Amino acid sequence: MFVYLPLVSPDTTIPIHEDLAVKHKFGSACILCGYPAFVDVVEILAEGTPVKKLRKWSAQLSGFRADDFENLVCFCPNHYHEYKAGAFAIVPSPNVRKQMKEHEERDFELRQQAVSMGSGDPGRTLLMPPQLSYEFEYVPITVPFYVETHNETPLYPETFIFSSQNTFAGDTLHVGGTLHVGTGANAKSIQVREYPLRNWEVSVYAALMAAVEPLRTPDRLRDARSDAAFDEITELVDLYKRHSVTQGEESPEEAEVEEELGDENDDLESESTDTERPDQFDYDDEPAVTPAALSSRLQWTPAMSAYSSEGFMRFATSSDFVRDPSDEPQEE
């Protein structure tokens, strides 16, 4: 008996063998709520300009791809669509962000010293696991308020209640409280809590870059966790854009502008190759405008406006530059 497996997952462009490996890694459950059915494999950082920018941070990330194993996680249908819409972000924890900043400042100082001694810039060296912890926090951004239950999973064998916005406004449920469910032998007490820090073996730098745009959303939810994530992640990204400078070289600010322009040009190139011009076939019946046709034009008189005292304007079209067959001299 043979079982047919498609080459790619029906919901993504991720190869099916990698899709199955990621689901096995996370126990075939949503990493946020533990829901064990209909999970989708999702890229933390989707392919595009952010990936190109990430590769420029360090030679250690130059080969990063959106379908790398450490860039893939499992979400239930609900969290899948919320994440894709930027309604929440998964970001390195405050302690991890502090580690990253301290290491980057030390590393940049060493690079500057090497440049000043004439050795050249050795390039950025990023802090990587196991020296850097796989610790993340859940940050709500524009997600609506609703109550959720985290189900026990092999990776996190705890059941608890939390809210999508990580807060409770009423007296019935409050952080630190307990909800009693079931009766008799099935009775159970479930703790109400903020969403805890979690350990997921995924790319810290991909998660950092993926959180930049959602956190810039003007109407994001404002609380201590969201504000701290925005400030610290923005600072980290700015640090990773820096270049060491020698005499006669461009400043970090100039390099950043050049980088942004380069990314825009990359986007324009990809759009021009991937998207067909909408007007490409609109004018097939128009006569070709050739040098001969231009030189054969006898006369062109613009149409006068009814309000000649106010001036007039007329745009030339290709037909203005082609001789009218009726104007051709007749052969005797």
Side-chain angles (χ1 to χ4, degrees):
M1 177 179 178
F2 295 94
V3 178
Y4 170 73
L5 289 177
L7 294 179
V8 296
S9 166
D11 298 321
T12 68
T13 57
I14 300 167
I16 192 65
H17 70 276
E18 197 165 17
D19 182 278
L20 294 173
V22 173
K23 289 177 179 176
H24 176 75
K25 173 182 176 180
F26 294 107
S28 294
C30 175
I31 64 169
L32 274 183
C33 67
Y35 186 70
F38 309 110
V39 293
D40 287 307
V41 174
V42 186
E43 296 168 346
I44 295 175
L45 182 63
E47 189 63 60
T49 300
V51 169
K52 296 174 185 176
K53 291 182 178 180
L54 186 70
R55 291 172 183 153
K56 295 177 182 179
W57 285 358
S58 171
Q60 294 162 278
L61 298 174
S62 60
F64 177 86
R65 291 169 49 93
D67 60 358
D68 283 352
F69 193 61
E70 281 199 337
N71 190 47
L72 303 174
V73 295
C74 290
F75 282 133
C76 64
N78 188 47
H79 288 128
Y80 170 88
H81 290 291
E82 288 181 350
Y83 185 77
K84 286 288 188 179
F88 70 86
I90 294 173
V91 304
S93 71
N95 287 336
V96 172
R97 298 197 296 263
K98 181 180 178 182
Q99 277 184 280
M100 296 167 76
K101 179 183 176 182
E102 291 175 349
H103 175 83
E104 167 60 19
E105 289 175 339
R106 288 194 302 269
D107 181 70
F108 189 76
E109 185 178 347
L110 292 174
R111 291 169 60 198
Q112 292 287 67
Q113 290 176 5
V115 169
S116 64
M117 296 173 64
S119 302
D121 184 1
R124 175 175 287 109
T125 301
L126 295 173
L127 192 63
M128 291 288 191
Q131 288 76 27
L132 189 64
S133 173
Y134 286 117
E135 187 177 65
F136 298 87
E137 68 174 345
Y138 164 79
V139 177
I141 297 177
T142 58
V143 62
F145 178 86
Y146 59 91
V147 177
E148 300 189 67
T149 300
H150 180 276
N151 303 281
E152 294 183 11
T153 67
L155 293 181
Y156 201 82
E158 292 186 32
T159 299
F160 60 88
I161 292 175
F162 68 102
S163 82
S164 59
Q165 295 186 354
N166 220 17
T167 185
F168 292 91
D171 296 330
T172 305
L173 290 177
H174 58 276
V175 174
T178 301
L179 182 66
H180 302 282
V181 297
T183 58
N186 295 321
K188 190 172 184 179
S189 297
I190 305 178
Q191 185 181 13
V192 181
R193 56 190 296 190
E194 288 187 353
Y195 198 87
L197 298 178
R198 298 290 302 274
N199 291 96
W200 296 305
E201 291 188 12
V202 297
S203 172
V204 175
Y205 295 95
L208 185 80
M209 178 63 86
V212 172
E213 287 305 318
L215 286 170
R216 287 176 178 169
T217 303
D219 57 344
R220 68 177 170 87
L221 298 170
R222 300 303 178 99
D223 59 22
R225 179 179 293 202
S226 173
D227 290 343
F230 172 78
D231 293 340
E232 294 171 15
I233 288 176
T234 300
E235 182 182 15
L236 272 171
V237 171
D238 288 341
L239 290 177
Y240 291 139
K241 288 180 180 179
R242 295 185 302 177
H243 300 268
S244 60
V245 181
T246 58
Q247 188 172 2
E249 290 186 351
E250 61 186 4
S251 67
E253 292 77 13
E254 293 170 334
E256 182 176 339
V257 171
E258 183 178 344
E259 179 181 344
E260 295 294 339
L261 292 175
D263 292 329
E264 290 178 8
N265 291 335
D266 290 341
D267 292 341
L268 291 174
E269 289 176 6
S270 63
E271 288 175 9
S272 63
T273 55
D274 297 339
T275 306
E276 186 178 295
R277 278 180 44 207
D279 63 339
Q280 190 170 2
F281 303 107
D282 288 352
Y283 307 103
D284 285 350
D285 296 333
E286 288 282 331
V289 181
T290 64
L294 292 174
S295 63
S296 67
R297 180 63 182 168
L298 296 178
Q299 184 178 0
W300 172 56
T301 303
M304 297 296 294
S305 167
Y307 307 97
S308 57
S309 61
E310 300 177 10
F312 58 84
M313 178 180 292
R314 180 180 184 277
F315 291 100
T317 65
S318 60
S319 60
D320 291 318
F321 302 97
V322 180
R323 182 191 295 273
D324 188 339
S326 63
D327 294 338
E328 296 287 345
Q330 302 296 324
E331 293 184 2
E332 296 182 357

